[in-house]
Amino acid sequence: MKKIKVLISSTKIKNKVTKIAQQINKDFKNKKLVVVSVLSGSVVFCSDIIRKLSVDFEIDFIRVASYKGKKSSGKIKFLCDVVEDIKGKDILLVEDICDSGRTLSYVKDLFIKRKANSVKICTLINKKVEKFKNIKIDYFGFEIDNEFIVGYGLDYDGKYRGLPYIGVI
Ligand code: IMP
Ligand code: MG
């Protein structure tokens, strides 16, 4: 494995997850919340978030991919769909990182087309880059410069997802 420089420690992530979950608990009281984990990167963040939720929710998964190595391919590969009926539900898309926003924009549009009652976006990391279609991020943990990061679910060619912190290679 290559050497990793810590960018965001596991303690900082833990504290931020608690804060985001508190906000979600406030905002989704009496809603039909469906947490949709955008696989694969969000698996760690999403499982930490849901364990802090006090509101009722269902969970579902959608799998898309756009990155090859350290670069976005610019195309979204749709790999696996949710199984629940989305109509009338309040969707919270949970992502590891929003870079250009192309992935989240694609998934959000899909759920709007399926007549979700509302679609909100929650990402642990928001990269400070120009966003596709000015996509609105409703909840985010950290903003970072445009660098390639790994850990806490984020990978480089499938590796490093299990690191408890976020680092730069
Ligand atoms: P976007 O569609 O450009 O916003 O890219 C989002 C997707 O690209 C994320 O869900 C990640 O899977 C991947 N990605 C973007 N930046 C990074 C990074 O720095 N490290 C690892 N994966 C990344
Ligand atoms: Mg992802």
Side-chain angles (χ1 to χ4, degrees):
M1 274 210 201
K2 285 185 191 155
K3 205 168 170 345
I4 313 287
K5 191 182 108 210
V6 178
L7 185 68
I8 308 169
S9 69
S10 61
T11 310
K12 276 193 183 151
I13 296 173
K14 217 177 262 175
N15 293 339
K16 195 65 90 172
V17 165
T18 304
K19 271 201 182 143
I20 295 172
Q22 280 169 348
Q23 194 58 48
I24 294 169
N25 284 331
K26 267 192 205 155
D27 297 350
F28 284 86
K29 250 182 213 153
N30 305 316
K31 301 249 177 181
K32 290 179 185 155
L33 173 59
V34 183
V35 175
V36 176
S37 169
V38 183
L39 297 174
S40 302
S42 79
V43 66
V44 181
F45 176 47
C46 192
S47 59
D48 279 348
I49 283 281
I50 59 170
R51 281 176 290 173
K52 300 266 178 198
L53 294 185
S54 53
V55 287
D56 289 334
F57 68 93
E58 291 174 88
I59 186 153
D60 213 326
F61 305 90
I62 193 165
R63 189 165 183 192
V64 290
S66 63
Y67 256 57
K68 266 207 150 163
K70 288 189 180 181
K71 285 234 164 69
S72 173
S73 66
K75 274 186 219 142
I76 315 283
K77 240 203 263 172
F78 192 86
L79 299 170
C80 185
D81 204 353
V82 292
V83 296
E84 297 298 329
D85 187 9
I86 292 309
K87 199 173 167 192
K89 305 275 178 71
D90 298 295
I91 308 299
L92 181 67
L93 298 174
V94 178
E95 243 298 30
D96 49 357
I97 186 163
C98 180
D99 184 3
S100 70
R102 203 174 256 114
T103 305
L104 282 167
S105 180
Y106 173 88
V107 178
K108 185 172 179 173
D109 285 352
L110 186 72
F111 288 125
I112 291 170
K113 263 187 230 144
R114 291 174 179 177
K115 301 201 163 51
N117 184 52
S118 63
V119 185
K120 293 261 160 79
I121 288 176
C122 172
T123 183
L124 180 66
I125 309 285
N126 188 24
K127 270 194 200 176
K128 284 188 243 163
V129 297
E130 204 184 313
K131 296 292 182 220
F132 185 69
K133 287 199 202 159
N134 277 327
I135 186 155
K136 183 181 174 226
I137 309 292
D138 301 284
Y139 309 92
F140 71 87
F142 305 94
E143 274 196 312
I144 64 160
D145 291 328
N146 192 7
E147 52 192 343
F148 193 81
I149 56 171
V150 293
Y152 197 70
L154 291 146
D155 73 306
Y156 171 52
D157 277 346
K159 292 191 279 284
Y160 306 103
R161 290 196 200 273
L163 294 177
Y165 55 86
I166 285 172
V168 182
I169 26 175

